[in-house]
Amino acid sequence: MIGKTLAALALPATLLAQAPASLPPEEKAFVAVDAPRVALTRVRVVDGTGAAPKDDQTILIENGKITWVGPSARASIPSGARVMDLAGHTVIPGLVGLHDHTFYGGGAWPYIHQAVSAPRLYLASGVTTIRTTGSNAPYQDLILKRAIDNGEVVGPRMYVSGPYLTGPGGNHGIMHEVSTPEAARRAAAYWAEEGATWLKVYDRITRRELKALVEEAHKHGIKVTGHLCSIGYKEAVEAGMDAVEHGLYANQEYDPAKQPDQCPGVNMSVFEGLDIDGPAVRSTFKAMIEKGVAMTSTLVIFESLVANRPPIEQRTMDVLFPPAREAYLAARAHLASGEGSRVAVTDAAFKKLLAYELAFVRAGGLLGAGVDPTGIGGVPAGFGNQRNYELFLEAGFTPVEAIKVLTANGATILGEADRYGTIAAGKAADLVVIAGDPIARPAEIRRVSIVFRDGVGYDSPKLIASVKGMVGLK
């Protein structure tokens, strides 16, 4: 894993397009559309910019790029193009998942790297780009990224973060502890050299080590985000972090028991009593917005810690490895019984998590989203990204605002807004074809039929069927 191999891994994800012709037969079976020219006609387009949907549109694709978007009556379809009449369908940009681990676990189920099921489920669900944002097996992530880039397996383009980097006593069994500024600098330099493009810090990191790590990461041209606790968000801004994860849940600066460089734990009563419109929250948002620090929403994972939420979906039960399914259902029942109060998120606190993210965006903040398939289990890759859409609507976002968060904002946070994230001529043809209208009927966000990544169309139902019973296993 050194020398030329790692040099290839370090190339920007967007420079390495998947080559369907090189896919082995078992992977190529998922390709539904591989024509050099494609016309998607008579579709409803939600372009990811926040603009209103447009009906009866045509999208022209050539050699992996969008070449034209506009009213079908004005479309000039190139000779030899594959024409797909998609009346009754909606097309949105490919989702950009910013907290999309390639492992699954939680509750009583161990964290297991999902080299087969994760890339297939992300892609099947319309997620064409992921940032791993913490790994228990970073080299496996780098290997998976290389396999996707080289056209050996299907999956989303990947931005790999290194391992979790935390402070003394906070390794949780899978994390690397840095207890001096020198150790923090070594870790940042090492993982930048190995091919990580982001680093993720965790809840016991201290200000001294964080500042050193951020400085070293930026010297190497990579960025830093984190699941914080010992550090508040305003302190994260002062340290130069590029983003923070998990919205309100990971910001303990509002807890009166919070001491510098110490994690007080998560106190639901602090969230329940927080004035979202008050000066403390406004001060946090002002600091973040002035310095361009983004926030990642992972509402779906916190919903899974609320008793009797989310509704159980049969498709989730179908893809879970049976023992993992049993572990999830047992953990869910335990949570609902009240015995799981140590990890539970109360209804009142969850409402504040929703409101915090809406207020951040209304204040001018840059919000992206991801799934974080952990918690007590039961939130698979991809499916959770789709559920986030519904939770944004519950929070008060409009449908087009929610889609912008899930697409264009994610691309902006990754520094790739000029390459993908919206439906526009010149952008990569990362498109999600939905058999229905999720603007009018939000649950139809699940009805994905084809997902285009760099102009290649993949069969969503086939991808999902191929991982039945695998999540939690491989």
Side-chain angles (χ1 to χ4, degrees):
M1 294 296 291
I2 58 176
K4 292 182 179 179
T5 298
L6 287 178
L9 289 172
L11 288 172
T14 51
L15 294 183
L16 295 168
Q18 200 169 39
S22 68
L23 288 169
E26 63 272 18
E27 298 285 324
K28 198 168 185 179
F30 301 122
V31 176
V33 183
D34 62 356
R37 296 183 181 89
V38 180
L40 309 181
T41 67
R42 300 207 297 161
V43 298
R44 171 173 249 210
V45 170
V46 182
D47 67 10
T49 67
K54 294 181 180 179
D55 293 322
D56 197 9
Q57 301 287 292
T58 288
I59 303 170
L60 301 182
I61 301 168
E62 185 168 354
N63 296 324
K65 299 282 189 181
I66 299 168
T67 58
W68 189 83
V69 186
S72 295
R74 289 171 38 205
S76 179
I77 297 174
S79 175
R82 176 169 175 180
V83 179
M84 302 177 68
D85 185 334
L86 295 174
H89 290 69
T90 301
V91 176
I92 66 174
L95 306 184
V96 179
L98 293 184
H99 202 112
D100 286 13
H101 300 307
T102 55
F103 60 81
Y104 169 89
W109 199 252
Y111 294 152
I112 297 174
H113 192 254
Q114 308 285 282
V116 177
S117 63
R120 293 184 187 180
L121 277 179
Y122 281 128
L123 193 61
S125 302
V127 184
T128 53
T129 302
I130 66 170
R131 185 187 66 193
T132 57
T133 315
S135 178
N136 64 341
Y139 279 112
Q140 287 179 291
D141 277 346
L142 289 167
I143 291 166
L144 177 59
K145 169 184 158 44
R146 181 182 61 190
I148 293 171
D149 288 344
N150 290 343
E152 297 165 9
V153 298
V154 304
R157 67 173 63 81
M158 292 178 62
Y159 293 77
V160 176
S161 65
Y164 294 88
L165 300 170
T166 190
N171 68 40
H172 300 278
I174 61 170
M175 300 179 185
H176 178 63
E177 295 182 16
V178 290
S179 56
T180 66
E182 293 73 25
R185 291 184 188 279
R186 284 197 304 272
Y190 178 82
W191 284 105
E193 187 74 18
E194 293 297 84
T197 51
W198 283 75
L199 297 177
K200 179 183 179 180
V201 296
Y202 209 70
D203 62 359
R204 297 305 195 272
I205 194 79
T206 65
R207 290 170 294 173
R208 187 180 65 160
E209 283 68 45
L210 177 62
K211 189 173 188 299
L213 186 142
V214 169
E215 288 175 352
E216 190 68 25
H218 288 174
K219 285 181 185 177
H220 291 268
I222 66 174
K223 297 181 179 181
V224 180
T225 189
H227 176 158
L228 301 175
C229 180
S230 54
I231 304 289
Y233 284 5
K234 287 193 288 187
E235 292 173 323
V237 172
E238 293 171 5
M241 285 183 67
D242 301 283
V244 295
E245 304 297 301
H246 302 304
L248 172 60
Y249 187 88
N251 188 8
Q252 308 312 317
E253 67 189 12
Y254 309 119
D255 188 340
K258 174 78 174 68
Q259 297 297 317
D261 295 326
Q262 300 295 316
C263 175
V266 177
N267 186 336
M268 289 296 127
S269 66
V270 172
F271 298 153
E272 291 168 354
L274 184 65
D275 181 0
I276 299 297
D277 298 316
V281 172
R282 288 200 303 270
S283 177
T284 303
F285 292 170
K286 183 176 185 290
M288 292 179 66
I289 292 164
E290 285 181 350
K291 294 295 185 180
V293 178
M295 182 188 296
T296 302
S297 168
T298 57
L299 289 173
V300 65
I301 204 63
F302 300 123
E303 182 192 31
S304 75
L305 300 179
V306 178
N308 299 311
R309 290 187 66 155
I312 293 177
E313 292 188 61
Q314 187 58 49
R315 65 174 188 164
T316 297
M317 298 297 101
D318 290 343
V319 299
L320 288 174
F321 179 48
R325 181 196 314 143
E326 292 169 10
Y328 163 61
L329 292 174
R332 182 182 169 107
H334 184 68
L335 190 68
S337 73
E339 296 177 5
S341 58
R342 185 181 65 83
V343 298
V345 174
T346 64
D347 287 318
F350 187 64
K351 289 177 182 177
K352 290 297 176 76
L353 302 189
L354 297 172
Y356 192 79
E357 295 182 6
L358 180 65
F360 179 64
V361 172
R362 293 286 188 262
L366 180 59
L367 182 72
V371 53
D372 191 10
T374 55
I376 60 169
V379 182
F383 291 179
N385 299 78
Q386 294 173 343
R387 177 61 178 163
N388 275 333
Y389 172 67
E390 296 174 302
L391 293 175
F392 284 137
L393 301 187
E394 183 177 336
F397 290 85
T398 68
V400 294
E401 285 177 324
I403 289 173
K404 182 180 179 182
V405 170
L406 293 164
T407 60
N409 285 10
T412 298
I413 291 167
L414 292 176
E416 299 284 13
D418 61 335
R419 304 180 72 91
Y420 54 79
T422 59
I423 300 176
K427 297 285 186 79
D430 288 5
L431 304 166
V432 186
V433 180
I434 298 168
D437 183 0
I439 302 299
R441 297 173 293 280
E444 292 184 359
I445 194 75
R446 297 168 177 78
R447 295 179 59 184
V448 176
S449 58
I450 299 174
V451 178
F452 286 86
R453 200 206 117 190
D454 288 323
V456 179
Y458 298 91
D459 187 312
S460 176
K462 278 187 179 180
L463 284 164
I464 294 171
S466 76
V467 299
K468 184 176 181 180
M470 286 190 186
V471 175
L473 176 64
K474 61 181 179 179

